[in-house]
């Protein structure tokens, strides 16, 4: 009799629980407690790049290479890529991320050449951030090399109208040499049109 009483009480309890907990809710609750939420495959930035794929991270990896030749090869490749895709980002890295001048040059010059091919005036404007002197002259020449590889006459006109002194000398030589690779006759004619005899001889040496 006592066992029967316990059995009836158990049935009543189960019935009351079933009314309070709808069918399948217990299974759903258990699955929520035991099934881990899916985790992202990796952190992805707003631009779609993982942290290790950002330009700064790739620069850090390249700078860890102890062989200077291999390091500069990696820096040049990264500079060219950013010149095509994110020239402003690359230029900000030129200004802020380098301590050793040869490393900066290895990255900067390829970036400027590619940037100069695509948006020469922007690349040339960026060069004004470099202190006056030989380093700025080299930077301007790098951007003009890119420009002269696609529009040499335009690059040549810009040089004559906007530069003087060491900047004119280095840039004109670079434009002449680049122009001569594809249109040697036109490059020679441009050099011959130079009024100053010393500059004329200098430019012809770049063309011939």
């Amino acid at each position: 009799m006592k066992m029967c009483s316990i059995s009836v009480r158990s049935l009543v309890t189960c019935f009351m629980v079933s009314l309070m907990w709808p069918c399948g809710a217990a299974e759903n609750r258990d699955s929520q407690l035991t099934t881990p939420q899916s985790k992202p495959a990796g952190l992805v930035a707003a631009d779609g790049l993982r942290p290790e794929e950002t330009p700064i991270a790739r620069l850090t990896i390249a700078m860890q290479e102890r062989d200077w030749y291999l390091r500069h090869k990696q820096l040049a490749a990264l500079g060219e890529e950013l010149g095509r895709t994110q020239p402003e980002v690359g230029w900000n890295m030129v200004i802020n991320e380098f301590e050793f001048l040869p490393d900066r040059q290895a990255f900067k010059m390829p970036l400027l050449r590619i940037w100069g091919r695509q948006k020469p005036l922007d690349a040339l404007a960026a060069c004004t951030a470099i202190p006056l002197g030989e380093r700025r002259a080299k930077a301007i020449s790098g951007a003009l090399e890119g420009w002269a590889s696609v529009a040499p006459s335009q690059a040549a006109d810009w040089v004559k109208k906007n530069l003087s002194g060491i900047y004119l000398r280095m840039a004109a030589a670079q434009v002449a040499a680049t122009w001569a690779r594809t249109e040697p006759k036109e490059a020679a004619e441009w050099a011959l049109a130079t009024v100053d005899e010393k500059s004329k001889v200098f430019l012809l040496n770049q063309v011939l």
Side-chain angles (χ1 to χ4, degrees):
M1 185 69 177
K2 186 175 182 180
M3 291 179 61
C4 181
S5 175
I6 293 173
S7 177
V8 171
R9 186 181 300 167
S10 299
L11 289 173
V12 172
T13 302
C14 290
F15 176 73
M16 293 299 292
V17 170
S18 67
L19 291 177
M20 296 173 63
W21 202 285
C23 180
E27 289 83 350
N28 292 337
R29 179 175 179 273
D30 289 343
S31 65
Q32 292 173 1
L33 293 175
T34 58
T35 303
Q37 294 182 352
S38 59
K39 297 181 179 179
L43 296 175
V44 179
D47 56 7
L49 296 176
R50 301 181 188 280
E52 66 273 14
E53 296 174 336
T54 62
I56 290 294
R58 294 173 61 193
L59 176 64
T60 300
I61 293 172
M63 293 298 292
Q64 292 172 351
E65 174 58 59
R66 302 184 68 177
D67 185 299
W68 71 268
Y69 174 79
L70 295 177
R71 183 173 67 252
H72 286 184
K73 187 175 181 180
Q74 293 179 38
L75 290 173
L78 181 58
E80 288 183 357
E81 180 181 332
L82 292 178
R84 287 191 299 270
T85 59
Q86 296 176 287
E88 291 84 2
V89 172
W91 191 250
N92 187 61
M93 291 163 61
V94 168
I95 301 300
N96 298 303
E97 301 297 332
F98 289 89
E99 296 181 1
F100 190 42
L101 180 59
D103 289 341
R104 180 187 287 117
Q105 291 292 100
F107 175 84
K108 178 178 69 178
M109 298 308 292
L111 183 146
L112 282 172
R113 280 194 293 270
I114 300 301
W115 196 2
R117 286 175 60 94
Q118 299 179 337
K119 295 183 178 181
L121 297 181
D122 289 350
L124 289 165
C127 294
T128 60
I130 301 174
L132 291 170
E134 186 177 357
R135 281 193 293 163
R136 181 186 288 191
K138 287 182 177 180
I140 292 172
S141 296
L144 285 166
E145 180 182 358
W147 193 1
S149 67
V150 292
S153 61
Q154 294 179 20
D157 288 343
W158 188 92
V159 167
K160 290 292 182 69
K161 293 176 181 178
N162 293 277
L163 299 178
S164 61
I166 185 177
Y167 305 103
L168 172 60
R169 182 180 177 85
M170 291 184 65
Q174 185 63 70
V175 169
T178 304
W179 196 352
R181 296 171 194 161
T182 55
E183 297 176 340
K185 180 180 177 182
E186 288 80 357
E189 290 174 350
W190 178 70
L192 287 169
T194 303
V195 176
D196 180 71
E197 284 298 321
K198 289 183 178 180
S199 297
K200 182 186 297 186
V201 172
F202 179 71
L203 289 179
L204 285 172
N205 285 333
Q206 307 303 313
V207 172
L208 301 176

